[in-house]
Each structure stands twice: as C-alpha cells, then as structure tokens.
Amino acid sequence: MDPRRVPRSFKASRPPAVPADTLRAVMLWPLFILSRLVGCSEQLPGTSSSASSAEVAEVDSGMPRKRFRAAADAADEDEALWRRRSTLRSNCRRRLRISTDYSGVDTPKWCFDAVDPFLAEYFEIEPGIATFTRSCDYGIVQSQVLACIGKSDGSCSHQNILDRLPRTAQGLIQAARPDPDADLQARVDAHAYIEGWLFENRKWVFYPSAVADCVVHEQPCYCHPVMGVDVLDGDRPLLGNVAGVTCKAWSSEGHREGDGHESAIYNAVWLAERKALAECGCEDFAAFECTALYPVERKLVEPLSDTHVCFYIRTNPVWLGIPSVRHRVLGWALSKKTMKWVGPTTQEECELEFHECFSREVGCGGSIFFCQDPAARWQIY
C-alpha cells in the first residue's frame, strides 16, 4: 500500500470539522474514545445496569441540535452520530483528570489546550475540560520542557517511572536487572521475571496515593489524578493516563531487541500500574501510541484482558490529511470496573470506523509546518 494515499475504504466525504493542525494530528484519537464511552453501574451509582445504545443517546438530552446543524450537513444528522456527539458532550462536561508517562513535551496537553475552546463553544459548556495533573520523562531536554510547563500551569513533573514504587520494589528490580553485556535471551528472561513479579505483587507495589519527587514543586507530590477525587461520586471526573511508550526496542535504533531491550522494564511498570489502578477503581482509561511494530496484542491486550476492554488501530498522519508519513499504532484500555464501551465490538470495525470518520486526502505540502502563515494553514484545513 502506498503510504501517501488514503486506503480507498477509509476515504471520507466530509470536510475537516476543526481547522487546527495539532488537533488533526493527535486529538482525533481521544475524541474517538470519549464519544463511545459511558460510565459502568458496577462502580458508578445512578447508572442503569443494562445501558443500551438507545439509552446512551439520551445521556445528555439538553444538547442543542442546532449547534450541530451549523457544523454538519443534514446527512450527518442520524441517530448514531447524535449518540456519539451526545456521549462526547457528556464526558466533556464531566471533565477529565489525566496524567502522562513517557511524556516527551506533553503533546496530549497541548492538543487538549488547542481543542478546549472549540469544544466548550461547540457544546455550550464551561472551558477547562481536561486537567493534566502530572507528567513523567527522564530525558534531559524533555524534563526541562516539562518543568517549564509545570511552572506555568501548576502541574507536577516527575523524572523516572520507578520513583513512584516502594523502595523494596525498586531494590528488587535493580537486583534483577540483567547485565548489559548478557546475551539477548538472558536479558529477555530477566525482564520477563521482573514483569511477572510486578504483576503478581501489583496490589502493594502500585497504590493510588503513591508519591515521587517533583521537579516543579521540589517536594514529593502525588503521582495519580485520583487523589482528591471521590471515586464513588457518579459525577466525578474521568481519570486517565496517556503514554507514548518507548518505541526504541521495536525500531532499528534499538536494534529491534524487543523484550531484551532495557525499556521492557519500564513498559512492564507502566502496564502493571494500569491493571492495579483499574482493579481498585482509581483509573478509568489509558491511551498510548507507539511504532507500528509494537506487539500490541502481546504487550497490552493479553495482559489486561481480564480488567480492561482493549482496542487499537494502525494509522498514519498522511491518512489524516497531514503531510507526514509515520506509521503508528494507537491503543486504549478501558476499565471494566468503571466504564462501558458502546463503540465497535471488533478490532476491524473499530479501525474502519475511525478512518471513516477522520481520514482525509492530503491537500498541502510539508511547508505548512514551518513556512505558511496561520491564515494559510487555517484555509487549508
């Protein structure tokens, strides 16, 4: 398949709804998730235990349809589209509290900042939909950028994902680390042992009130968005984590060492933490992105199958109308304890629906990123 062309089955006839390049590139994924996600009665009171797709359509009957008619043509005004928009508005009005790992320069935060005014006006709700409570990245440049972000908005920034673990757990991981000069199979076995140990002991290794040193506030700060939130409150914010898990192990830069690469340890920590927080009702969803070579079935879907509903898609910015070729996998895991997925039920349907909603032909060149003025970019998008 030519990566410069959108697959025929993915082409969409509608023009982009939001003229913002950062939104087009990154924010489509969370919007897709939030428009198909409702609370689950097992954890949240006041929700019908047999919520059907028809009932979901009534989740926010106060939403004015006239707003939609201004942004979409009459052909889009069908019940499925109405349900998705209604669910998205309900979740936006409920608010989100999000932490990020492998944060880089915290792109999810920038994208929510870009889309927040649009969603607030579009849905006639108060702005401030998402609050980013904490970032985490041990890269030198990344840490400096995240510290500046934290000083501007008050969010926390941590440097090492291992710092939030108890000292005993940190010591065992350090003792079990393989020698860097060990052969590949020996490193794979050592990392598998560490991952197995983390999952077996997750109930005490990971806990909602975990703290770690914060480079912004120069003191130990809470790691998880759940702190200060009553998890039994049916109107509480949605609690989530977004991560750009390390792709080095699966790329040529890391010699495609896979599970033998050192980053396997940090991936295991992030994964076991998601499972532990979901089991105690303290995290509703997790979203991630990585290289298309990442073995998502084995590294995400299978380990979380009993606690989460997991889906993923493979996409490329050029398929979304962005003049950049970069094959990626985007995935999400939704806690079965607190949330109910009302979207596509199979992997293939999910990927097809995402691209039917958001795929666009590329109508510009790479100069749009650096050479075009904002008015020209606005017109193109």
PDB file of all heavy atoms in Angstrom, residues 14-17 65-78 81-82 85 118 122:
ATOM      1  N   ARG A  14     -16.780  14.169   4.154  1.00  0.00           N
ATOM      2  CA  ARG A  14     -16.978  15.405   4.899  1.00  0.00           C
ATOM      3  C   ARG A  14     -15.673  16.179   5.023  1.00  0.00           C
ATOM      4  O   ARG A  14     -14.604  15.597   5.144  1.00  0.00           O
ATOM      5  CB  ARG A  14     -17.528  15.107   6.298  1.00  0.00           C
ATOM      6  CG  ARG A  14     -18.888  14.466   6.295  1.00  0.00           C
ATOM      7  CD  ARG A  14     -19.457  14.416   7.698  1.00  0.00           C
ATOM      8  NE  ARG A  14     -18.620  13.673   8.616  1.00  0.00           N
ATOM      9  CZ  ARG A  14     -18.687  12.352   8.760  1.00  0.00           C
ATOM     10  NH1 ARG A  14     -19.502  11.648   8.020  1.00  0.00           N
ATOM     11  NH2 ARG A  14     -17.910  11.743   9.625  1.00  0.00           N
ATOM     12  N   PRO A  15     -15.724  17.513   5.070  1.00  0.00           N
ATOM     13  CA  PRO A  15     -14.523  18.311   5.282  1.00  0.00           C
ATOM     14  C   PRO A  15     -14.127  18.227   6.749  1.00  0.00           C
ATOM     15  O   PRO A  15     -14.929  17.844   7.603  1.00  0.00           O
ATOM     16  CB  PRO A  15     -14.983  19.733   4.916  1.00  0.00           C
ATOM     17  CG  PRO A  15     -16.441  19.723   5.229  1.00  0.00           C
ATOM     18  CD  PRO A  15     -16.923  18.349   4.874  1.00  0.00           C
ATOM     19  N   PRO A  16     -12.879  18.557   7.090  1.00  0.00           N
ATOM     20  CA  PRO A  16     -12.469  18.542   8.491  1.00  0.00           C
ATOM     21  C   PRO A  16     -13.363  19.443   9.323  1.00  0.00           C
ATOM     22  O   PRO A  16     -13.724  20.538   8.912  1.00  0.00           O
ATOM     23  CB  PRO A  16     -11.029  19.080   8.434  1.00  0.00           C
ATOM     24  CG  PRO A  16     -10.579  18.817   7.037  1.00  0.00           C
ATOM     25  CD  PRO A  16     -11.797  18.961   6.185  1.00  0.00           C
ATOM     26  N   ALA A  17     -13.730  18.989  10.502  1.00  0.00           N
ATOM     27  CA  ALA A  17     -14.630  19.760  11.358  1.00  0.00           C
ATOM     28  C   ALA A  17     -13.888  20.845  12.119  1.00  0.00           C
ATOM     29  O   ALA A  17     -14.472  21.846  12.495  1.00  0.00           O
ATOM     30  CB  ALA A  17     -15.336  18.833  12.347  1.00  0.00           C
ATOM     31  N   ARG A  65     -29.363  20.607  19.211  1.00  0.00           N
ATOM     32  CA  ARG A  65     -29.032  20.082  17.890  1.00  0.00           C
ATOM     33  C   ARG A  65     -28.727  21.196  16.900  1.00  0.00           C
ATOM     34  O   ARG A  65     -28.048  20.962  15.902  1.00  0.00           O
ATOM     35  CB  ARG A  65     -30.182  19.229  17.358  1.00  0.00           C
ATOM     36  CG  ARG A  65     -30.400  17.963  18.150  1.00  0.00           C
ATOM     37  CD  ARG A  65     -31.256  16.991  17.388  1.00  0.00           C
ATOM     38  NE  ARG A  65     -31.468  15.770  18.156  1.00  0.00           N
ATOM     39  CZ  ARG A  65     -31.593  14.570  17.622  1.00  0.00           C
ATOM     40  NH1 ARG A  65     -31.502  14.429  16.318  1.00  0.00           N
ATOM     41  NH2 ARG A  65     -31.784  13.517  18.363  1.00  0.00           N
ATOM     42  N   LYS A  66     -29.217  22.387  17.156  1.00  0.00           N
ATOM     43  CA  LYS A  66     -28.943  23.478  16.226  1.00  0.00           C
ATOM     44  C   LYS A  66     -27.455  23.742  16.123  1.00  0.00           C
ATOM     45  O   LYS A  66     -26.968  24.195  15.074  1.00  0.00           O
ATOM     46  CB  LYS A  66     -29.660  24.759  16.672  1.00  0.00           C
ATOM     47  CG  LYS A  66     -29.214  25.293  18.034  1.00  0.00           C
ATOM     48  CD  LYS A  66     -29.995  26.536  18.418  1.00  0.00           C
ATOM     49  CE  LYS A  66     -29.598  27.046  19.796  1.00  0.00           C
ATOM     50  NZ  LYS A  66     -28.187  27.459  19.864  1.00  0.00           N
ATOM     51  N   ARG A  67     -26.697  23.460  17.187  1.00  0.00           N
ATOM     52  CA  ARG A  67     -25.265  23.664  17.121  1.00  0.00           C
ATOM     53  C   ARG A  67     -24.649  22.721  16.106  1.00  0.00           C
ATOM     54  O   ARG A  67     -23.686  23.056  15.426  1.00  0.00           O
ATOM     55  CB  ARG A  67     -24.629  23.418  18.500  1.00  0.00           C
ATOM     56  CG  ARG A  67     -25.186  24.275  19.605  1.00  0.00           C
ATOM     57  CD  ARG A  67     -24.752  25.711  19.448  1.00  0.00           C
ATOM     58  NE  ARG A  67     -23.304  25.844  19.555  1.00  0.00           N
ATOM     59  CZ  ARG A  67     -22.666  26.990  19.433  1.00  0.00           C
ATOM     60  NH1 ARG A  67     -23.339  28.084  19.168  1.00  0.00           N
ATOM     61  NH2 ARG A  67     -21.364  27.046  19.552  1.00  0.00           N
ATOM     62  N   PHE A  68     -25.182  21.517  16.038  1.00  0.00           N
ATOM     63  CA  PHE A  68     -24.616  20.538  15.118  1.00  0.00           C
ATOM     64  C   PHE A  68     -24.958  20.866  13.676  1.00  0.00           C
ATOM     65  O   PHE A  68     -24.161  20.664  12.780  1.00  0.00           O
ATOM     66  CB  PHE A  68     -25.127  19.149  15.466  1.00  0.00           C
ATOM     67  CG  PHE A  68     -24.737  18.713  16.837  1.00  0.00           C
ATOM     68  CD1 PHE A  68     -25.559  17.868  17.559  1.00  0.00           C
ATOM     69  CD2 PHE A  68     -23.563  19.155  17.416  1.00  0.00           C
ATOM     70  CE1 PHE A  68     -25.201  17.468  18.829  1.00  0.00           C
ATOM     71  CE2 PHE A  68     -23.204  18.761  18.683  1.00  0.00           C
ATOM     72  CZ  PHE A  68     -24.030  17.921  19.396  1.00  0.00           C
ATOM     73  N   ARG A  69     -26.161  21.370  13.468  1.00  0.00           N
ATOM     74  CA  ARG A  69     -26.561  21.664  12.091  1.00  0.00           C
ATOM     75  C   ARG A  69     -25.688  22.774  11.492  1.00  0.00           C
ATOM     76  O   ARG A  69     -25.568  22.888  10.282  1.00  0.00           O
ATOM     77  CB  ARG A  69     -28.033  22.074  12.055  1.00  0.00           C
ATOM     78  CG  ARG A  69     -28.974  20.929  12.414  1.00  0.00           C
ATOM     79  CD  ARG A  69     -30.398  21.209  11.982  1.00  0.00           C
ATOM     80  NE  ARG A  69     -31.265  20.098  12.305  1.00  0.00           N
ATOM     81  CZ  ARG A  69     -32.007  20.029  13.403  1.00  0.00           C
ATOM     82  NH1 ARG A  69     -31.970  21.004  14.276  1.00  0.00           N
ATOM     83  NH2 ARG A  69     -32.782  18.980  13.626  1.00  0.00           N
ATOM     84  N   ALA A  70     -25.103  23.590  12.367  1.00  0.00           N
ATOM     85  CA  ALA A  70     -24.221  24.633  11.871  1.00  0.00           C
ATOM     86  C   ALA A  70     -22.874  24.073  11.453  1.00  0.00           C
ATOM     87  O   ALA A  70     -22.135  24.712  10.727  1.00  0.00           O
ATOM     88  CB  ALA A  70     -24.019  25.702  12.950  1.00  0.00           C
ATOM     89  N   ALA A  71     -22.551  22.882  11.918  1.00  0.00           N
ATOM     90  CA  ALA A  71     -21.226  22.318  11.654  1.00  0.00           C
ATOM     91  C   ALA A  71     -21.274  21.073  10.798  1.00  0.00           C
ATOM     92  O   ALA A  71     -20.250  20.582  10.369  1.00  0.00           O
ATOM     93  CB  ALA A  71     -20.539  21.999  12.984  1.00  0.00           C
ATOM     94  N   ALA A  72     -22.429  20.513  10.557  1.00  0.00           N
ATOM     95  CA  ALA A  72     -22.524  19.286   9.761  1.00  0.00           C
ATOM     96  C   ALA A  72     -23.752  19.354   8.881  1.00  0.00           C
ATOM     97  O   ALA A  72     -24.746  20.001   9.206  1.00  0.00           O
ATOM     98  CB  ALA A  72     -22.607  18.076  10.695  1.00  0.00           C
ATOM     99  N   ASP A  73     -23.701  18.704   7.753  1.00  0.00           N
ATOM    100  CA  ASP A  73     -24.842  18.742   6.849  1.00  0.00           C
ATOM    101  C   ASP A  73     -25.932  17.783   7.321  1.00  0.00           C
ATOM    102  O   ASP A  73     -25.753  17.002   8.241  1.00  0.00           O
ATOM    103  CB  ASP A  73     -24.416  18.420   5.413  1.00  0.00           C
ATOM    104  CG  ASP A  73     -23.715  17.079   5.315  1.00  0.00           C
ATOM    105  OD1 ASP A  73     -24.176  16.118   5.955  1.00  0.00           O
ATOM    106  OD2 ASP A  73     -22.699  17.010   4.611  1.00  0.00           O
ATOM    107  N   ALA A  74     -27.072  17.857   6.660  1.00  0.00           N
ATOM    108  CA  ALA A  74     -28.231  17.092   7.111  1.00  0.00           C
ATOM    109  C   ALA A  74     -27.990  15.596   7.061  1.00  0.00           C
ATOM    110  O   ALA A  74     -28.555  14.844   7.867  1.00  0.00           O
ATOM    111  CB  ALA A  74     -29.441  17.454   6.235  1.00  0.00           C
ATOM    112  N   ALA A  75     -27.147  15.139   6.154  1.00  0.00           N
ATOM    113  CA  ALA A  75     -26.887  13.703   6.042  1.00  0.00           C
ATOM    114  C   ALA A  75     -26.225  13.145   7.285  1.00  0.00           C
ATOM    115  O   ALA A  75     -26.304  11.948   7.561  1.00  0.00           O
ATOM    116  CB  ALA A  75     -26.010  13.431   4.819  1.00  0.00           C
ATOM    117  N   ASP A  76     -25.560  14.011   8.042  1.00  0.00           N
ATOM    118  CA  ASP A  76     -24.868  13.550   9.247  1.00  0.00           C
ATOM    119  C   ASP A  76     -25.801  13.436  10.441  1.00  0.00           C
ATOM    120  O   ASP A  76     -25.423  12.904  11.480  1.00  0.00           O
ATOM    121  CB  ASP A  76     -23.722  14.505   9.605  1.00  0.00           C
ATOM    122  CG  ASP A  76     -22.600  14.441   8.594  1.00  0.00           C
ATOM    123  OD1 ASP A  76     -22.423  13.396   7.952  1.00  0.00           O
ATOM    124  OD2 ASP A  76     -21.917  15.461   8.443  1.00  0.00           O
ATOM    125  N   GLU A  77     -26.993  13.994  10.321  1.00  0.00           N
ATOM    126  CA  GLU A  77     -27.896  14.023  11.458  1.00  0.00           C
ATOM    127  C   GLU A  77     -28.654  12.699  11.581  1.00  0.00           C
ATOM    128  O   GLU A  77     -29.871  12.644  11.490  1.00  0.00           O
ATOM    129  CB  GLU A  77     -28.877  15.198  11.314  1.00  0.00           C
ATOM    130  CG  GLU A  77     -28.255  16.563  11.557  1.00  0.00           C
ATOM    131  CD  GLU A  77     -27.791  16.716  12.985  1.00  0.00           C
ATOM    132  OE1 GLU A  77     -28.413  16.111  13.864  1.00  0.00           O
ATOM    133  OE2 GLU A  77     -26.810  17.423  13.211  1.00  0.00           O
ATOM    134  N   ASP A  78     -27.955  11.641  11.787  1.00  0.00           N
ATOM    135  CA  ASP A  78     -28.597  10.355  12.042  1.00  0.00           C
ATOM    136  C   ASP A  78     -28.420  10.015  13.518  1.00  0.00           C
ATOM    137  O   ASP A  78     -27.678  10.673  14.245  1.00  0.00           O
ATOM    138  CB  ASP A  78     -28.033   9.257  11.137  1.00  0.00           C
ATOM    139  CG  ASP A  78     -26.523   9.145  11.252  1.00  0.00           C
ATOM    140  OD1 ASP A  78     -25.981   9.408  12.357  1.00  0.00           O
ATOM    141  OD2 ASP A  78     -25.872   8.806  10.250  1.00  0.00           O
ATOM    142  N   LEU A  81     -24.767   9.216  14.850  1.00  0.00           N
ATOM    143  CA  LEU A  81     -23.955  10.413  15.021  1.00  0.00           C
ATOM    144  C   LEU A  81     -24.432  11.218  16.210  1.00  0.00           C
ATOM    145  O   LEU A  81     -23.626  11.743  16.991  1.00  0.00           O
ATOM    146  CB  LEU A  81     -23.995  11.256  13.749  1.00  0.00           C
ATOM    147  CG  LEU A  81     -23.118  12.512  13.748  1.00  0.00           C
ATOM    148  CD1 LEU A  81     -21.654  12.143  13.893  1.00  0.00           C
ATOM    149  CD2 LEU A  81     -23.353  13.319  12.473  1.00  0.00           C
ATOM    150  N   TRP A  82     -25.730  11.303  16.390  1.00  0.00           N
ATOM    151  CA  TRP A  82     -26.285  12.030  17.530  1.00  0.00           C
ATOM    152  C   TRP A  82     -25.844  11.387  18.845  1.00  0.00           C
ATOM    153  O   TRP A  82     -25.460  12.071  19.791  1.00  0.00           O
ATOM    154  CB  TRP A  82     -27.805  12.053  17.433  1.00  0.00           C
ATOM    155  CG  TRP A  82     -28.471  12.563  18.670  1.00  0.00           C
ATOM    156  CD1 TRP A  82     -29.143  11.829  19.600  1.00  0.00           C
ATOM    157  CD2 TRP A  82     -28.506  13.913  19.126  1.00  0.00           C
ATOM    158  NE1 TRP A  82     -29.601  12.630  20.606  1.00  0.00           N
ATOM    159  CE2 TRP A  82     -29.228  13.920  20.348  1.00  0.00           C
ATOM    160  CE3 TRP A  82     -28.007  15.103  18.633  1.00  0.00           C
ATOM    161  CZ2 TRP A  82     -29.444  15.084  21.064  1.00  0.00           C
ATOM    162  CZ3 TRP A  82     -28.235  16.262  19.347  1.00  0.00           C
ATOM    163  CH2 TRP A  82     -28.947  16.249  20.539  1.00  0.00           C
ATOM    164  N   ARG A  85     -22.120  12.216  19.529  1.00  0.00           N
ATOM    165  CA  ARG A  85     -21.913  13.605  19.944  1.00  0.00           C
ATOM    166  C   ARG A  85     -22.478  13.858  21.336  1.00  0.00           C
ATOM    167  O   ARG A  85     -21.902  14.593  22.141  1.00  0.00           O
ATOM    168  CB  ARG A  85     -22.543  14.549  18.923  1.00  0.00           C
ATOM    169  CG  ARG A  85     -21.730  14.646  17.636  1.00  0.00           C
ATOM    170  CD  ARG A  85     -22.477  15.374  16.571  1.00  0.00           C
ATOM    171  NE  ARG A  85     -21.592  15.753  15.467  1.00  0.00           N
ATOM    172  CZ  ARG A  85     -22.011  16.121  14.277  1.00  0.00           C
ATOM    173  NH1 ARG A  85     -23.303  16.147  14.021  1.00  0.00           N
ATOM    174  NH2 ARG A  85     -21.160  16.452  13.337  1.00  0.00           N
ATOM    175  N   PHE A 118     -12.757  25.248  21.413  1.00  0.00           N
ATOM    176  CA  PHE A 118     -13.712  24.827  20.388  1.00  0.00           C
ATOM    177  C   PHE A 118     -14.812  23.956  20.986  1.00  0.00           C
ATOM    178  O   PHE A 118     -15.995  24.175  20.742  1.00  0.00           O
ATOM    179  CB  PHE A 118     -12.978  24.064  19.285  1.00  0.00           C
ATOM    180  CG  PHE A 118     -13.896  23.309  18.373  1.00  0.00           C
ATOM    181  CD1 PHE A 118     -14.593  23.963  17.368  1.00  0.00           C
ATOM    182  CD2 PHE A 118     -14.097  21.946  18.534  1.00  0.00           C
ATOM    183  CE1 PHE A 118     -15.453  23.278  16.529  1.00  0.00           C
ATOM    184  CE2 PHE A 118     -14.952  21.249  17.703  1.00  0.00           C
ATOM    185  CZ  PHE A 118     -15.635  21.917  16.697  1.00  0.00           C
ATOM    186  N   TYR A 122     -18.672  24.768  21.151  1.00  0.00           N
ATOM    187  CA  TYR A 122     -19.490  23.861  20.331  1.00  0.00           C
ATOM    188  C   TYR A 122     -20.578  23.190  21.149  1.00  0.00           C
ATOM    189  O   TYR A 122     -21.724  23.059  20.716  1.00  0.00           O
ATOM    190  CB  TYR A 122     -18.551  22.818  19.724  1.00  0.00           C
ATOM    191  CG  TYR A 122     -19.164  21.908  18.697  1.00  0.00           C
ATOM    192  CD1 TYR A 122     -19.573  22.386  17.454  1.00  0.00           C
ATOM    193  CD2 TYR A 122     -19.298  20.543  18.956  1.00  0.00           C
ATOM    194  CE1 TYR A 122     -20.106  21.539  16.501  1.00  0.00           C
ATOM    195  CE2 TYR A 122     -19.831  19.694  18.005  1.00  0.00           C
ATOM    196  CZ  TYR A 122     -20.234  20.188  16.782  1.00  0.00           C
ATOM    197  OH  TYR A 122     -20.760  19.355  15.840  1.00  0.00           O
TER     198      TYR A 122
END
